């Protein structure tokens, strides 16, 4: 009997990996084995150790991967799967493949750096410490990617086919409609991946890429994310808040330092800054986008301008690519990055990593945290235990490069930038369904968020909702 098994993103928000096995009750290869997403476990060590475990079915017996989008918690384990012997195709939309070609090699590079660090410090029980995969291995797996257009039906076997529909989460992001046929009957399963913001009002200001998952779904089984199953984002326009923070900082002679993930979040922020500058709502100070990955991501974004919101498209039609905007500087090399340190006048620095766990943002904060004229502005989620979360929580100091740096700069956070639908938006989307799924499984959520969402959907919509457990098998008979 066919079954579905949750290999990740169960009880946590990372490591998304769901196995569909069309005809297998036990050992041995029969039928078709397909992974929906192949993500990296991130965060606490108890999760990360799972990156080193084998899949329950040997990698060389898995026939295909269907990838929803290019975030590492959904695609970051692909190079490891390939290293373990996977030889099938990896299906994704074209923008997702382009973004993966930047994100996966960067992830390989970070894995190598981490292994090098542990070997120097002798801080791993493994001698020598090895990377999960290397930059080269990440580049090598890109040849297995096959692009599939939104809405195009792709048949994997006589009984299994799929289609990508819009998830509205990040550039190229999709949900997977999977069709399983047996005895002349087709059954539909929907895997949401991450679900983007559902515009509850007519416009969603500040977005670069169109938002909103496709409506009118009718799957028999729904596998759905629950990241913000217990939270509602502020729904007001972020621009007045942002303009106020930047203007006040410049007025007191300080600079704004913005930790931001290099892909999507940085682009979104740059578009907002440009709009605010052109409309005269913030002063024209130099803007530095200090991340080599951010430049490549801008180039990819410009290739898919047809996915932009009307607002973002108008901005690009008028002013061209962000790479050529006057006063906007991109720092591809280390030397360019160091020059930013010499800036003694107010400026805006956008750099990664978004949670201040590493990367060039560390140098900028080391230099500017102690000056009360400066402003640190968070525009993304800060996971517990990260430096970002420590700074955001109002701590008096933070450790950077073995130095305890006093935090005298102003600290603010704008929560409107999230790329995940909140509870209200998820319910709004579920209400567009043409019929109730027989079962809904919640994945990709911390236990509290998942159980809160389970309760909300059951009580408000009367649906049968279950929380997925790690390695749990669900018969699809
Ligand atoms: Zn995502």
């Amino acid at each position: 009997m066919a079954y579905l098994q949750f290999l990740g993103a169960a009880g946590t928000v990372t490591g998304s990996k769901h196995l569909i096995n069309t005809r297998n009750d036990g050992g041995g290869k029969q039928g078709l084995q397909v992974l929906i997403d192949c993500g990296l476990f991130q965060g606490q060590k108890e999760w990360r150790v799972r990156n080193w475990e084998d899949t329950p079915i040997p990698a060389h017996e898995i026939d295909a991967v269907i990838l929803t989008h290019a975030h590492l918690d959904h695609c970051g384990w692909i190079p490891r799967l390939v290293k373990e012997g996977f030889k099938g195709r990896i299906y994704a939309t074209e923008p997702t493949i382009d973004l993966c070609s930047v994100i996966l090699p960067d992830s390989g590079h970070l894995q190598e750096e981490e292994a090098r660090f542990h070997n120097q410090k002798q801080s791993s029980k493994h001698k020598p410490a090895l990377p999960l995969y290397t930059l080269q291995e990440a580049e090598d797996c890109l040849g297995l990617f096959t692009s599939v257009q939104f809405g195009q039906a792709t048949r994997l076997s006589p009984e299994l086919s799929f289609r990508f529909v819009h998830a509205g989460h990040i550039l190229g992001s999709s949900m997977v409609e999977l069709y399983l046929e047996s005895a002349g009957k087709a059954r539909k399963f929907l895997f949401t991946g991450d679900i983007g913001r559902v515009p509850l009002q007519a416009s969603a200001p500040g977005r670069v890429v169109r938002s909103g998952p496709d409506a009118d779904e009718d799957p028999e089984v729904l596998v759905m994310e629950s990241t913000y199953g217990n939270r509602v984002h502020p729904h007001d326009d972020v621009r007045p808040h942002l303009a106020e923070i930047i203007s006040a900082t410049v007025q007191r002679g300080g600079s704004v330092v913005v930790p931001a993930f290099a892909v999507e979040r940085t682009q979104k922020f740059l578009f907002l800054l440009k709009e605010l500058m052109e409309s005269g709502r913030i002063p024209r100070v130099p803007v530095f986008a200090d991340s080599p990955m951010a430049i490549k991501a801008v180039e990819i974004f410009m290739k898919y301008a047809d996915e932009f919101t009307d607002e973002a498209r108008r901005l690009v039609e008028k002013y061209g690519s962000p790479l050529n905007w006057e006063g906007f500087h991109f720092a591809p090399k280390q030397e360019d990055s160091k020059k930013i340190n010499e800036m003694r006048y107010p400026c805006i620095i956008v750099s990664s990593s978004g949670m201040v766990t590493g990367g060039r943002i560390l140098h900028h904060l080391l230099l500017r945290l102690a000056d009360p004229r400066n402003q640190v502005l968070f525009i993304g989620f800060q996971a517990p235990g990260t430096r970002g979360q420590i700074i955001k929580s109002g701590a008096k100091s933070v450790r950077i490069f073995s130095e305890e740096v006093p935090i005298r700069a102003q600290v603010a956070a704008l929560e409107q930038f999230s790329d995940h639908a909140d509870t209200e938006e998820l319910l709004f989307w579920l209400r567009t369904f043409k019929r109730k799924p027989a079962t809904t499984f919640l994945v990709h959520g911390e236990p509290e968020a998942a159980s809160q969402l389970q309760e909300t959907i059951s009580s408000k919509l009367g649906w049968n909702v279950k929380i997925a457990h790690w390695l749990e098998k669900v018969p699809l008979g």
Side-chain angles (χ1 to χ4, degrees), residues 69 71 73-74 169-170 194 420 444:
H69 67 288
H71 275 154
D73 55 334
H74 292 258
H169 168 58
I170 62 163
D194 287 350
H420 288 266
H444 204 284

Side-chain angles (χ1 to χ4, degrees), residues 81-148:
L81 184 76
V82 173
K83 191 173 176 160
E84 298 286 309
F86 172 81
K87 292 197 169 52
R89 307 300 308 173
I90 301 154
Y91 299 95
T93 65
E94 211 183 321
T96 296
I97 297 175
D98 278 352
L99 290 174
C100 281
S101 73
V102 175
I103 287 172
L104 291 179
D106 182 70
S107 170
H109 170 71
L110 291 178
Q111 302 284 346
E112 286 184 75
E113 292 249 286
E114 203 177 316
R116 240 191 315 270
F117 175 84
H118 285 307
N119 287 328
Q120 270 166 10
K121 301 255 171 198
Q122 306 274 309
S123 53
S124 169
K125 62 176 190 246
H126 304 283
K127 306 254 177 315
L130 296 171
L132 196 58
Y133 51 84
T134 63
L135 186 152
Q136 188 59 52
E137 283 163 341
E139 276 181 351
D140 291 347
C141 79
L142 297 172
L144 298 176
F145 280 76
T146 302
S147 79
V148 176

